[in-house]
Amino acid sequence: IKKKKNIVRKNRVKDILTSEEIESIIDQIYLEQSGQPGQHININIRNRAILELLYSTPIKSAQIAELMVKDTEKEGFIRIKDFILPITERALFRLNNYKEIREKLVKNKTDILFIGKNGRALNVENFCRIPNEYANKAGIAKEVGFTAFRMSFESFMRKAGAPVKFIHYILHLSNADYSEEELSVLHEKYHPGNTEKEVPVNTSDSWVKYADDHLEWLASKNYSQITIKNKRLILNRFFDWARQNGIHDPIHISKDIL
């Protein structure tokens, strides 16, 4: 019996993903979105939110399928029954993006958070297809599902030196007593999705003024600091791509490029 257990564990370890592999999986949505009509873009926005939640938390397929809109009302957390999980700022940003277009997908009134192409609640089977679909597009030769993401989450936390008590709490293996502030601080400290750095920018070009003007406008409209921070990250990535492709002024950005 012991030998059998060791074999099972050895096979499962092969499916643990690196943070680079997860980023590659998520990036496939950017590559796919170009040129897609509106409904497909909405589905991609939904899928991005789902993948960011999988990266950010050890959520299970049955749990994410049961998430209600109200379970995401507390900024920086999702609620699973009487249990709360902190999420990364980038996951929060993508989740909010999805919630803005969710009503465009809903056909039959429901409070379930994630909606399928048929306008009804997305079921567990369809949830399980999403990570594997984008992993295949990324050329990752692993069995990529919710279990792989959950195991990878645990691996990230252990390698980063997170307290075992905290890891057990996040995996819902214990009922440790943490305040919301403590959960946020620990999650931000140890999860690799919180360590994304801004792309360096050349302050002498016109992109910087465009970004500063746009972010100043967001602040004037009382957007949260989390939204502004994530918008800056996205703009800097796009500006970096533009420079690499010989585009050095916003005026040269056409509708086709966008």
Side-chain angles (χ1 to χ4, degrees), residues 3 58 63 104 146 168 170 172 184 187 201:
K3 280 187 177 180
Q63 293 171 332
K104 296 178 182 179
F146 277 71
H168 285 178
I170 291 292
H172 212 175
S184 292
H187 191 273
V201 296

Side-chain angles (χ1 to χ4, degrees), residues 46-57:
R46 180 204 69 190
N47 289 350
R48 176 69 190 257
I50 290 170
L51 290 177
E52 289 287 2
L53 281 182
L54 290 187
Y55 184 23
S56 184
T57 73

Side-chain angles (χ1 to χ4, degrees), residues 23-223:
E23 295 287 2
S24 178
I25 291 170
I26 293 172
D27 282 347
Q28 300 310 305
I29 297 178
Y30 281 127
L31 298 174
E32 182 180 76
Q33 189 158 309
S34 177
Q36 293 280 5
Q39 183 72 351
H40 287 286
I41 290 177
N42 291 336
I43 293 298
N44 286 343
I45 291 172
R46 180 204 69 190
N47 289 350
R48 176 69 190 257
I50 290 170
L51 290 177
E52 289 287 2
L53 281 182
L54 290 187
Y55 184 23
S56 184
T57 73
I59 196 168
K60 298 178 181 178
S61 57
Q63 293 171 332
I64 198 170
E66 294 176 353
L67 275 182
M68 312 286 279
V69 174
K70 66 179 182 180
D71 295 327
T72 65
E73 290 175 350
K74 182 176 288 294
E75 186 168 295
F77 295 89
I78 58 171
R79 178 171 293 280
I80 302 173
K81 296 181 179 178
D82 60 344
F83 182 71
I84 61 169
L85 286 174
I87 61 176
T88 59
E89 290 183 357
R90 53 187 276 181
L92 173 63
F93 180 73
R94 296 301 174 180
L95 186 57
N96 287 338
N97 280 355
Y98 166 69
K99 286 162 69 176
E100 288 177 3
I101 60 90
R102 177 182 172 275
E103 290 304 313
K104 296 178 182 179
L105 296 175
V106 176
K107 290 181 181 176
N108 296 312
K109 187 171 175 59
T110 176
D111 292 326
I112 290 291
L113 178 61
F114 289 111
I115 306 298
K117 292 180 181 178
N118 62 1
R120 299 183 179 88
L122 202 63
N123 61 37
V124 171
E125 183 180 353
N126 286 327
F127 269 112
C128 292
R129 289 181 184 144
I130 292 170
N132 209 46
E133 174 189 342
Y134 288 105
N136 288 336
K137 290 177 181 178
I140 295 173
K142 293 181 179 180
E143 187 65 33
V144 179
F146 277 71
T147 300
F149 269 88
R150 185 175 168 85
M151 291 172 61
S152 302
F153 178 93
E154 180 182 358
S155 176
F156 297 149
M157 290 298 191
R158 290 190 183 280
K159 287 180 179 178
V164 173
K165 177 184 174 183
F166 173 67
I167 295 172
H168 285 178
Y169 172 86
I170 291 292
L171 293 172
H172 212 175
L173 299 176
S174 74
N175 294 317
D177 187 19
Y178 282 106
S179 68
E180 291 177 5
E181 183 179 359
E182 288 171 329
L183 288 174
S184 292
V185 168
L186 288 168
H187 191 273
E188 183 173 357
K189 181 177 180 179
Y190 294 110
H191 192 284
N194 286 310
T195 59
E196 183 177 11
K197 300 295 189 297
E198 293 185 13
V199 178
V201 296
N202 177 2
T203 56
S204 65
D205 66 27
S206 57
W207 290 112
V208 177
K209 184 180 185 309
Y210 174 84
D212 288 344
D213 289 346
H214 180 63
L215 296 172
E216 186 176 329
W217 178 85
L218 290 177
S220 72
K221 297 298 182 181
N222 296 320
Y223 281 79

